[in-house]
């Protein structure tokens, strides 16, 4: 199996040349030179309104039309007609929820998880508008020694499914817990349960924002209806991509665009753009970059190499934080503490007990030292933090250290050096 050449990887990111350690990647990754070059090229040479017949206009059209091919390959969608771009995953899902409104009946049930508000808020608001019912798939502890060791279990999802289940909104990877949800297993099980219960129609929405930087998405293998990821967290531009299964486009959604925008008399049509056209064109550099990471020139091979490298980053960080000395100090991992491919190197923790330390103060110590960027807070997964027990200050939240494939073991050691000082 191919491994990453970390020097070659880092050479693709201009911002990494400064030596600053970016450890807040779950909030947004750094951008490759290839993406930057395409944005500059577009703005320099083809920055005109789409749809024109003159030469620069047709070239601009051609460049923007490349965007859906990139998104379709990332999602493994069946067609470019099933994908599009928008300003953010949050806005995309809000628009989908509004387009879905006419297909929701009073008493329909939505199952959502305690994750980022992007894949929660739109469905809660839709439920209010249509008198639907919201049920919650809650993460529960996996270790008796650590009440914050919560994870989502498929066996606890299934009892929520009933004859009235209409939509299930889950997250493929938690932006707090760093744990992967077995999407294919969960969807297969919930669809079987829904069939047994006699549910008339069940659609599944998956938030891949925290998944896409670390693993290969496969909407067809997963058998899902809606999916989003943020391009700016996958080494690209500050926009987002969406997948909508063709059946949902034809039977579930109603257009919320201008009333005269109809394509082939279909009720809903994904548009290739949405954010700035230069951002869509810039995003087309992401797949070539990812494929370049391994000799196979293949996304699956590259993501396997990414996952294996990220384990070398995760191991020293989790070993330090779960060492008996740190546990006695009051350090508690929020999420699972196993070091394996069931999680990504997004690690959250708190320091509790007699000598508790506020998350804000731990991050403040890093800020004072300089040279390393980490964060604290609830990271828009407000419900997850708010429902942890013993209760945490939701605004202080957790300390989160989030790494990706361009980070190095040497950078992790520098992070640990500061943690040793703070926790001494």
């Amino acid at each position: 199996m191919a491994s990453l050449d970390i020097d070659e990887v880092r050479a693709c990111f201009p911002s990494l040349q400064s030596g600053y350690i970016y450890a807040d990647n779950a909030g947004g990754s750094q951008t490759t030179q290839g993406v930057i070059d395409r944005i500059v090229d577009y703005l320099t040479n083809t920055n005109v309104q789409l749809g024109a017949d003159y030469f620069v206009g047709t070239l601009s059209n051609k460049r923007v039309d490349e965007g859906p091919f990139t998104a379709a390959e990332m999602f493994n969608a069946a067609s470019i007609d099933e994908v599009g771009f928008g300003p953010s995953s949050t806005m995309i899902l809000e628009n989908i929820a509004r387009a879905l409104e006419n297909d929701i009946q009073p008493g329909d049930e939505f199952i959502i998880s305690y994750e980022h508000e992007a894949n929660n808020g739109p469905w809660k608001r839709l439920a209010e508008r249509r008198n639907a019912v919201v049920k919650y798939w809650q993460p529960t502890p996996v270790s008796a020694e650590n009440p914050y060791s919560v994870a989502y279990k498929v066996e606890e999802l299934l009892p929520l499914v009933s004859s009235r289940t209409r939509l299930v909104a889950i997250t493929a990877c938690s932006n707090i817990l760093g744990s992967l949800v077995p999407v294919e297993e969960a969807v297969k099980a919930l669809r079987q349960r829904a069939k047994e219960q006699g549910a008339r129609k069940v659609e599944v929405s998956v938030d891949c924002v925290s998944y896409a930087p670390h693993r290969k998405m496969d909407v067809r293998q997963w058998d899902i209806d809606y999916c989003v990821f943020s391009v700016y967290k996958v080494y690209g531009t500050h926009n987002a991509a969406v997948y909508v299964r063709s059946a949902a486009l034809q039977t579930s959604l109603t257009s919320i665009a201008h009333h005269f925008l109809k394509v082939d008399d279909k009720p809903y049509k994904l548009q290739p753009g949405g954010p700035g056209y230069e951002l869509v064109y810039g995003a087309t550099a992401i797949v070539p970059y990812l494929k370049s990471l391994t000799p196979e020139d293949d996304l699956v091979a590259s993501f396997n190499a990414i996952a294996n490298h990220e384990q070398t980053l995760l191991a020293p960080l989790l070993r330090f934080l779960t060492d008996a000395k740190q546990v006695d100090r009051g350090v508690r991992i929020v999420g699972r503490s196993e070091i394996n491919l069931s999680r990504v190197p997004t690690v959250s923790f708190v320091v509790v007990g007699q000598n508790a330390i506020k998350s804000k103060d731990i991050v403040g110590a890093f800020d004072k030292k300089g040279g390393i960027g980490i964060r604290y807070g609830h990271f828009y997964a407000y419900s997850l933090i708010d429902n942890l027990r013993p209760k945490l200050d939701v605004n202080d939240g957790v300390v989160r250290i989030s790494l990706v494939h361009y980070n190095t073991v040497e950078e992790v050691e520098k992070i640990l050096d500061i943690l040793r000082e703070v926790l001494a």
Side-chain angles (χ1 to χ4, degrees), residues 113-115 137 139-140 142 148-153 170-183 207-208 210-212 214-215 311 314 318 333-338 340-348 384 400:
S113 57
Y114 279 164
E115 286 298 323
W137 182 23
T140 54
V142 298
Y148 301 121
S149 63
V150 297
Y152 292 97
K153 306 178 182 72
I170 63 177
T171 299
C173 178
S174 171
N175 76 326
I176 295 285
L177 310 176
S179 54
L180 301 172
V181 170
V183 176
D207 176 351
C208 277
S210 294
Y211 182 95
H214 308 283
R215 299 289 192 275
Q311 290 294 297
L314 180 64
L318 274 181
I333 297 293
V334 179
R336 292 182 178 272
S337 57
E338 297 92 342
N340 56 44
L341 292 170
S342 70
R343 66 166 297 150
V344 304
T346 297
V347 177
S348 299
L384 193 158
R400 187 180 72 181

Side-chain angles (χ1 to χ4, degrees), residues 367-382:
D367 294 342
K368 187 175 181 180
K369 287 278 186 179
I372 300 175
I374 65 172
R375 292 281 296 277
Y376 76 94
H378 55 68
F379 303 101
Y380 302 100
Y382 185 95

Side-chain angles (χ1 to χ4, degrees), residues 89 93 116 118-119 170-173 205-211 227-228:
S89 295
L93 287 169
H116 193 290
N119 202 28
I170 63 177
T171 299
C173 178
S205 170
V206 178
D207 176 351
C208 277
V209 172
S210 294
Y211 182 95
C227 190
V228 294

Side-chain angles (χ1 to χ4, degrees), residues 247-326:
L249 284 169
Q250 295 165 15
T251 65
S252 299
L253 304 183
T254 301
S255 177
I256 59 172
H258 300 304
H259 74 278
F260 53 83
L261 287 180
K262 290 187 177 181
V263 180
D264 300 330
D265 293 324
K266 293 180 181 178
Y268 193 83
K269 172 71 175 178
L270 288 176
Q271 300 298 318
Y277 304 137
E278 74 279 4
L279 302 185
V280 175
Y281 183 57
T284 63
I286 294 172
V287 167
Y289 163 72
L290 290 170
K291 287 184 174 181
S292 76
L293 297 178
T294 51
E296 292 88 340
D297 191 40
D298 174 76
L299 283 179
V300 173
S302 291
F303 275 105
N304 287 338
I306 285 172
N308 288 327
H309 172 72
E310 289 180 345
Q311 290 294 297
T312 70
L313 309 176
L314 180 64
L317 183 56
L318 274 181
R319 285 185 184 130
F320 172 80
L321 291 170
T322 58
D323 180 82
K325 180 179 179 181
Q326 304 310 328

Side-chain angles (χ1 to χ4, degrees), residues 200-251:
R200 68 176 180 89
K201 181 179 184 180
V202 176
E203 293 182 312
V204 180
S205 170
V206 178
D207 176 351
C208 277
V209 172
S210 294
Y211 182 95
H214 308 283
R215 299 289 192 275
K216 176 72 175 72
M217 297 175 287
D218 195 334
V219 295
R220 283 188 280 177
Q221 184 71 25
W222 292 347
D223 186 23
I224 62 176
D225 304 281
Y226 310 102
C227 190
V228 294
F229 75 91
S230 295
V231 179
Y232 70 95
K233 296 185 182 181
V234 193
Y235 325 112
T237 49
H238 208 289
N239 56 344
V242 57
Y243 160 82
V244 179
R245 198 203 295 253
S246 60
L249 284 169
Q250 295 165 15
T251 65

